[in-house]
Structures are given as C-alpha cells and as structure tokens.
Amino acid sequence: MKNEAKVVAITGSSRGIGRAIAVTFAKAGYDLILNGRQTVDPELITEIETIGRQCVFVQGDVTDETTATQIVATAFERFERLDVVVNNAGITKDKLLMAMSAADFKAVVDVNLMGTFNVTQVAFTKMLRQRSGCIINLASVIGQHGNAGQANYAASKAGIIGLTKSVAKEGAKRHVRCNAIAPGMIATDMTAVLKPAMTDAILAQIPLNRFGEPEEVASAALFLAENQYVTGQVLTVDGGMTI
C-alpha cells in the first residue's frame, strides 16, 4: 500500500537545528528519513515514534555521493515518495583568512555546499519525475553579509543561496520548489562555546536581544514546506540582526 503521509528527508538531523526540524515535521504528520555522520540518538527515534510517525536513519557523510543516493533511495524504498528535503548538514572551521589553509577552506565548502548539491541533485531528479517536491537549504546570514574569520563558511553559504535560486528556476515548471533559510545566532552547540564577552557583543547587535531557538528555525522550514507559492526565496530568521 502506498504511503499516504508526506515524507521529509533531513540531513544533519542528529542534534541542534536538524533535530528540531525532525521533531517539528513529525508533529506536523510527516514520516522521516534522518541522516547524520554519527549514530542517531535513540531518544530522538523514541520521541518521533511516540508522536506516531515512522522514521529511518541513514548514517553517512553527505560529501559522499553514495550517502546522498542512499538517503533518497531509502525514502522511496520505505515510503514510495519524497515530498521535502531539508539540507541542514554543515560544519565550521573559523580562522582569519591569513591563517586559513586550503584544507580548512575546502573542508567547509565540501560539507556545506557540495553536500547540499549532492543530496539536492539526487532528490531533484526524483521530484521532477513525480512532478512535486520541495527542497529547503540551510544558508546563513553570514552567506548574505560575510564575517571576519569565516571566509570559508560565508563562501559556502553564499553558494547555497545561489544554488537555491537556480534550482527554483529549473524546477518551477514541474512544481518542484526550492528555498533557503538564513538563520542568525541560534542557541546550539556551536554558539554554546562562545565566551560571555563575545555573547554580549553579539546580543548588542540583535534588536530582539536574544539568540534564536532551533525550534524557531524549524517552524520556518515547515512554513516553506507547506506554502506552495513560495520558491527561490531566502527566509532570514535572525531576530532583526541584519536590519
């Protein structure tokens, strides 16, 4: 019997924003394909199953084309459909440009941009055939405005924005949409390591005077998945930081 529930695949879904997106989509009635480089947290699986949704975990690195193929193939093998892909997997290797090695630059671009491309290309092909689908890419305000010490991260996220707009134009005639989310400072493991003085300096730049929560990015992703008339857009979720 063909699966009637919508299906979402989320990369980098083991923790932080990716985990919040998984739970938010489960609560909205989606079945899930989860992905991460490390073993999934059993508590996440339990939480999703308690909500009443099904989920499958595909372990692997999105820089590997085989992993990208497996994520998409698993959706069709298990659920016979794929409605939404959220490209969330990403890393940082922050250094000032003069101290940044080519390896530092390439590592971030490979995961953030090439990983997004790998999964998008496989999913996009399937979605064109089914004449429906939505791809959501996690960009960043850094990709829109740049930041000292993050040339590699900024380049990768700016690339994601360009990729998003191009995919949106290519997919529109077959009802395949593609959008991006540009989070600002979100309370995750990445921001938890900031020193108090740095945190205070950043908060001074945010009109809402707080970091965002992963669930607030997740609700933006669900909006983009559900609104059928939004494509090629970058939704900034930053508390007014870039006003």
Side-chain angles (χ1 to χ4, degrees):
M1 182 180 295
K2 185 176 178 64
N3 187 61
E4 295 301 328
K6 290 184 178 181
V7 177
V8 58
I10 307 164
T11 68
S13 52
S14 299
R15 58 197 177 101
I17 291 173
R19 183 182 183 123
I21 292 172
V23 173
T24 295
F25 273 77
K27 289 178 178 178
Y30 285 74
D31 291 326
L32 301 99
I33 307 297
L34 306 179
N35 157 260
R37 290 183 294 178
Q38 308 299 325
T39 304
V40 68
D41 182 355
E43 291 184 3
L44 175 58
I45 300 296
T46 299
E47 184 175 1
I48 290 169
E49 291 177 345
T50 300
I51 292 168
R53 303 318 313 167
Q54 301 180 64
C55 64
V56 183
F57 182 71
V58 177
Q59 186 172 353
D61 192 324
V62 292
T63 61
D64 182 353
E65 294 176 22
T66 303
T67 297
T69 299
Q70 187 179 2
I71 290 168
V72 175
T74 300
F76 283 92
E77 289 167 4
R78 179 66 180 269
F79 302 114
E80 299 185 29
R81 63 189 293 171
L82 179 59
D83 300 280
V84 181
V85 168
V86 182
N87 286 302
N88 172 70
I91 64 170
T92 59
K93 284 184 177 290
D94 297 349
K95 292 179 183 177
L96 291 173
L97 189 63
M98 290 191 300
M100 185 177 293
S101 68
D104 292 329
F105 191 92
K106 185 175 185 300
V108 173
V109 171
D110 281 350
V111 175
N112 298 1
L113 181 55
M114 284 305 302
T116 296
F117 166 79
N118 287 340
V119 177
T120 295
Q121 186 178 52
V122 180
F124 188 63
T125 301
K126 291 283 191 178
M127 288 176 172
L128 288 176
R129 290 173 184 164
Q130 70 182 12
R131 292 181 176 271
S132 67
C134 174
I135 296 168
I136 301 167
N137 299 322
L138 267 292
S140 170
V141 294
I142 304 304
Q144 296 172 308
H145 302 280
N147 194 36
Q150 290 189 299
N152 48 4
Y153 188 75
S156 70
K157 295 300 186 177
I160 285 173
I161 291 171
L163 174 65
T164 296
K165 292 179 179 293
S166 296
V167 171
K169 288 188 175 182
E170 290 186 21
K173 288 186 178 180
R174 293 204 176 190
H175 311 291
V176 179
R177 298 180 298 108
C178 187
N179 293 287
I181 301 173
M185 298 303 296
I186 307 299
T188 65
D189 291 347
M190 285 186 181
T191 57
V193 299
L194 294 174
K195 295 179 180 179
M198 178 63 73
T199 299
D200 291 342
I202 294 171
L203 286 173
Q205 302 174 44
I206 303 174
L208 288 183
N209 197 39
R210 67 175 178 86
F211 285 6
E213 296 296 330
E215 290 76 15
E216 291 171 314
V217 179
S219 65
L222 184 62
F223 163 76
L224 291 174
E226 295 290 315
N227 193 310
Q228 300 296 312
Y229 201 56
V230 179
T231 194
Q233 302 305 306
V234 181
L235 178 56
T236 302
V237 182
D238 70 349
M241 186 178 184
T242 54
I243 291 174

